[in-house]
Amino acid sequence: MKKPENTGELVPFKKKLKIDNKIEKPFGRTAVFAGVIFFITGGGILIAGFVILGVITVLISALVIFTFSGVEIDTEKRQIRQYNKWVGLVKTGKWKSLDFYIGVTLIPITTWESMASWSNRVTSNKTTDFRIFLVSKNKKPAFAIKKCNTLHEAKNCLDEFSIWLKVPVFSVKK
């Protein structure tokens, strides 16, 4: 049996790439914190012997704690899917063609969360993250495909998505 010879020819390599990015929790951080408290309380209710009430409390709090939204991209089939992952187990969402989008862009997102105490003192928290959006054919951001904490990380990811999806980078006008 002969060994294949190395002819030095370049063979095109088609890279199969699946991207799965967790974007955010749909219920917010405050609700997730409350969900943790209810999860612990539900465990206590179960230990106390109130099975039905305990199971209901644990299931609802697990839904709030472990549910998140994300984006899945299949570069081989050129498809994208926005999904919700319910209780961290089941993904729901429809696949769409990437041909409906003409590029990617970077947008800073600022989120304010406020909570009032019993004495009517308001505590506010401001967070800024950077999200990479697909750009639709009418040149508007469609939906986020990646969430980054720093501008440097976001710019690097923006270049990667531009290469992986074979689309140009657009700038957003303010």
Side-chain angles (χ1 to χ4, degrees):
M1 190 173 203
K2 284 186 172 181
K3 288 185 180 179
E5 291 182 27
N6 185 1
T7 60
E9 294 180 53
L10 294 176
V11 179
F13 177 71
K14 187 172 183 180
K15 189 172 183 180
K16 297 177 184 179
L17 185 64
K18 283 204 173 190
I19 304 161
D20 192 349
N21 290 324
K22 181 177 172 181
I23 303 296
E24 64 187 348
K25 293 195 173 279
F27 298 109
R29 292 190 298 191
T30 307
V32 170
F33 177 74
V36 170
I37 300 298
F38 276 100
F39 192 81
I40 293 168
T41 304
I45 292 171
L46 280 171
I47 291 171
F50 300 102
V51 177
I52 295 173
L53 181 62
V55 167
I56 290 171
T57 305
V58 167
L59 288 177
I60 291 173
S61 61
L63 176 75
V64 172
I65 295 169
F66 299 114
T67 297
F68 62 89
S69 63
V71 173
E72 194 172 14
I73 302 171
D74 186 349
T75 58
E76 181 184 14
K77 296 179 183 176
R78 294 209 36 88
Q79 291 182 332
I80 187 164
R81 170 169 78 160
Q82 283 182 289
Y83 66 83
N84 285 319
K85 194 162 187 181
W86 301 98
V87 195
L89 300 173
V90 180
K91 284 184 185 178
T92 58
K94 292 185 179 181
W95 287 98
K96 298 177 191 173
S97 174
L98 277 171
D99 297 330
F100 294 118
Y101 306 100
I102 59 172
V104 289
T105 190
L106 177 64
I107 299 175
I109 303 289
T110 302
T111 307
W112 284 91
E113 291 183 3
S114 298
M115 183 181 286
S117 67
W118 285 7
S119 62
N120 287 332
R121 292 184 183 164
V122 178
T123 303
S124 296
N125 185 21
K126 173 186 170 186
T127 56
T128 301
D129 57 51
F130 302 90
R131 297 187 190 188
I132 299 169
F133 280 77
L134 279 176
V135 177
S136 62
K137 290 189 177 182
N138 60 357
K139 297 185 180 165
K140 298 202 183 234
F143 57 88
I145 58 173
K146 176 79 175 168
K147 179 180 176 183
C148 302
N149 293 326
T150 64
L151 181 60
H152 179 70
E153 176 191 6
K155 286 181 179 179
N156 288 339
C157 288
L158 182 67
D159 292 337
E160 288 175 356
F161 275 105
S162 177
I163 292 168
W164 290 338
L165 303 178
K166 298 178 179 100
V167 292
V169 174
F170 284 82
S171 63
V172 176
K173 296 178 184 176
K174 291 185 179 182

